[in-house]
């Protein structure tokens, strides 16, 4: 089985985070009732989790277990 290329990992990372961030913004708005605060939380979460997911994905591509 071949390793996933880096461009595919980046596209998967971005698409997943957009979906996840929309979820976070909605939940944050429901909890805080403030759209500006919800968008701020979503913005920070978007960047931090995208970076974490990318490295998580690339690390798992190098693990032979389960392949």
């Amino acid at each position: 089985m071949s390793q996933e290329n880096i461009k595919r990992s980046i596209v998967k990372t971005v698409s997943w985070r957009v979906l996840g961030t929309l979820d976070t913004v909605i939940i944050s708005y429901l909890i805080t009732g403030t759209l500006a605060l919800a968008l701020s939380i979503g913005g920070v979460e978007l960047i931090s989790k995208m970076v974490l997911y990318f490295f998580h994905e690339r690390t798992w591509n190098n693990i032979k277990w389960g392949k």
Side-chain angles (χ1 to χ4, degrees):
M1 198 173 273
S2 66
Q3 189 175 30
E4 189 168 273
N5 75 36
I6 203 162
K7 287 180 185 178
R8 180 177 164 89
S9 291
I10 290 170
V11 171
K12 284 173 60 180
T13 298
V14 172
S15 67
W16 175 246
R17 281 313 334 139
V18 167
L19 182 61
T21 297
L22 286 173
D23 179 58
T24 297
V25 169
I26 290 167
I27 291 169
S28 297
Y29 178 71
L30 292 173
I31 291 171
T32 67
T34 307
L35 185 57
L37 183 55
L39 291 171
S40 295
I41 293 167
V44 170
E45 183 262 1
L46 174 67
I47 302 303
S48 66
K49 288 190 178 173
M50 206 175 346
V51 171
L52 289 171
Y53 178 84
F54 176 81
F55 287 109
H56 180 264
E57 180 78 9
R58 300 305 294 172
T59 299
W60 271 97
N61 275 334
N62 292 318
I63 296 172
K64 303 289 185 226
W65 177 76
K67 286 187 174 182

